[in-house]
């Protein structure tokens, strides 16, 4: 599609949505049973821009409401068969509206903001949810989604189960006698550009939960990492997503990165890698993810 036709197509989609909403209103007027005796999710059409939110919907057994997901929605495997809307950070209003959603559930990272505004102006309810990279934020997301889906009892059960799992995992760390390692999280699309995670990131929060120490400090978010900065940090373990390892061409190439051989992590060949949606998603698998990372960082 050429750029010149995008506004025309988007306008068409917005008009189609308006007609569709009128049809839905008429159907509701003729079918009061959708309000009485039947779950409201009969009329929900949800697009998820965030893998963690998709996982929550599956955990609440409301996946039949999903009409589209973003590229980070890789778990459970059934989500891969749903229509794709691209990456949560670079959404297209046209692509989302083509699925005729009633709601878009989005994480704090979804955007651009201008696209979310376009989607909202078409009559779609935007529900943006920030976890704050905290376990408590996960519970808040589950509660909110449960309310939106009229599944409060199910969300309460899921939250209670996760709370028990979380307490069990944290209690197991108390028995660890090994000293906390200095770790550094590397985000990479290629060997030419490495980013390190500072504070206010999911990677930093995961390190903190496991008891590890972030070897880089003094900045928030992600910033480019030079070989000199890597050597100065002297990390004992390198943290990467499995996707970054593949982008770099495999584990062998990670150890060939400039500066790595001059760190304890490089000399001892210590890398902790996990799937991105598990490591950074802050979804219902968070207790399992923290336990797995703890094993890789401290138990290895």
């Amino acid at each position: 599609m050429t750029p010149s036709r995008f506004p025309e197509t988007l306008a068409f989609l917005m008009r189609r949505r308006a007609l569709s909403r009128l049809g839905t209103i008429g159907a509701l007027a003729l079918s009061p049973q959708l309000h009485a005796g039947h779950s409201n999710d009969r009329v929900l059409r949800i697009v998820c821009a965030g893998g963690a939110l998709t996982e929550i919907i599956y955990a609440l057994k409301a996946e039949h409401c999903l009409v589209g997901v973003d590229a980070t929605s890789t778990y459970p495997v059934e989500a891969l068969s749903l229509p794709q809307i691209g990456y949560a950070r670079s959404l297209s209003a046209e692509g989302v509206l083509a699925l005729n959603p009633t709601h878009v559930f989005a994480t704090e990272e979804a955007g651009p903001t201008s696209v979310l505004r376009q989607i909202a102006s078409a009559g779609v309810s935007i529900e943006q949810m920030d976890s704050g990279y905290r376990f408590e934020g996960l519970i808040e997301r589950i509660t909110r989604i449960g309310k939106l889906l009229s599944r409060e009892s199910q969300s309460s059960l899921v939250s209670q189960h996760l709370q028990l799992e979380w307490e069990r995992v944290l209690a197991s760390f108390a028995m660890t006698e090994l000293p906390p390692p200095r770790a550094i999280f590397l985000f990479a699309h290629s060997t030419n550009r490495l980013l390190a995670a500072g504070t206010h990131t999911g990677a930093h929060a995961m390190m903190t939960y496991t008891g590890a120490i972030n070897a880089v400090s003094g900045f928030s978010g992600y910033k480019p990492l030079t070989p000199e900065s890597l050597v100065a940090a002297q990390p004992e373990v390198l943290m990467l997503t499995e996707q970054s390892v593949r982008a770099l061409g495999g584990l062998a190439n990670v150890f060939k990165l400039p500066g790595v051989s001059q760190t304890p992590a490089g000399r001892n060949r210590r890398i902790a890698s996990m799937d991105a949606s598990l490591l950074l998603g802050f979804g219902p698998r968070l207790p399992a993810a923290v336990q797995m990372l703890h094993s890789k960082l401290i138990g290895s």
Side-chain angles (χ1 to χ4, degrees):
M1 179 180 300
T2 61
S4 62
R5 288 193 54 80
F6 175 78
E8 178 184 345
T9 306
L10 182 57
F12 168 76
L13 288 169
M14 294 176 74
R15 287 196 299 271
R16 190 184 74 178
R17 275 197 52 78
L19 291 172
S20 175
R21 286 173 65 83
L22 287 173
T24 299
I25 292 170
L28 291 175
L30 294 172
S31 306
Q33 67 269 24
L34 287 179
H35 290 289
H38 288 73
S39 172
N40 288 338
D41 62 25
R42 289 289 188 94
V43 294
L44 293 182
R45 292 178 58 83
I46 299 170
V47 167
C48 258
L53 306 183
T54 298
E55 289 187 36
I56 290 172
I57 289 177
Y58 272 90
L60 299 181
K61 303 186 186 306
E63 60 271 20
H64 54 280
C65 297
L66 286 170
V67 296
V69 295
D70 78 308
T72 68
S73 298
T74 59
Y75 183 91
V77 67
E78 290 80 7
L80 296 173
S81 64
L82 291 166
Q84 289 281 324
I85 58 168
Y87 285 96
R89 293 175 184 268
S90 54
L91 297 176
S92 155
E94 181 184 28
V96 172
L97 292 176
L99 298 175
N100 197 28
T102 58
H103 294 71
V104 170
F105 288 2
T107 65
E108 63 271 33
E109 298 171 340
T113 302
S114 58
V115 170
L116 294 177
R117 289 200 192 101
Q118 278 185 307
I119 296 170
S121 69
V124 180
S125 177
I126 306 294
E127 303 289 344
Q128 200 155 14
M129 308 178 199
D130 186 349
S131 74
Y133 306 122
R134 300 174 300 119
F135 174 76
E136 294 79 9
L138 165 61
I139 298 301
E140 290 167 5
R141 281 175 167 178
I142 293 171
T143 301
R144 183 173 171 186
I145 291 177
K147 185 174 182 179
L148 288 168
L149 300 181
S150 298
R151 273 172 159 68
E152 290 91 344
S153 59
Q154 182 70 17
S155 67
S156 179
L157 288 173
V158 170
S159 295
Q160 290 173 27
H161 172 74
L162 284 174
Q163 187 68 52
L164 291 173
E165 280 295 292
W166 187 246
E167 292 171 1
R168 180 190 63 78
V169 167
L170 295 186
S172 70
F173 295 170
M175 297 181 287
T176 302
E177 297 180 354
L178 295 173
R182 290 171 55 81
I184 189 169
F185 179 81
L186 301 179
F187 182 79
H189 283 305
S190 69
T191 56
N192 298 326
R193 183 170 172 78
L194 292 178
L195 300 177
T199 58
H200 299 99
T201 62
H204 179 85
M206 290 293 284
M207 288 185 212
T208 302
Y209 276 137
T210 64
I213 299 169
N214 194 344
V216 293
S217 60
F219 66 95
S220 175
Y222 291 86
K223 80 170 194 176
L225 183 73
T226 64
E228 294 76 17
S229 297
L230 176 60
V231 173
Q234 288 293 289
E236 297 169 286
V237 187
L238 303 180
M239 274 176 60
L240 295 93
T241 65
E242 292 175 353
Q243 288 83 347
S244 284
V245 172
R246 287 196 293 270
L248 293 171
L251 289 174
N253 284 344
V254 175
F255 292 113
K256 295 177 182 178
L257 291 172
V260 168
S261 64
Q262 300 174 58
T263 67
R267 289 191 293 270
N268 297 318
R269 301 184 71 80
R270 291 195 61 192
I271 289 181
S273 65
M274 291 170 57
D275 178 77
S277 66
L278 180 59
L279 178 61
L280 305 175
F282 281 75
R285 294 181 292 162
L286 180 59
V290 170
Q291 186 164 48
M292 184 183 296
L293 183 61
H294 180 272
S295 177
K296 289 175 177 288
L297 291 178
I298 298 175
S300 56

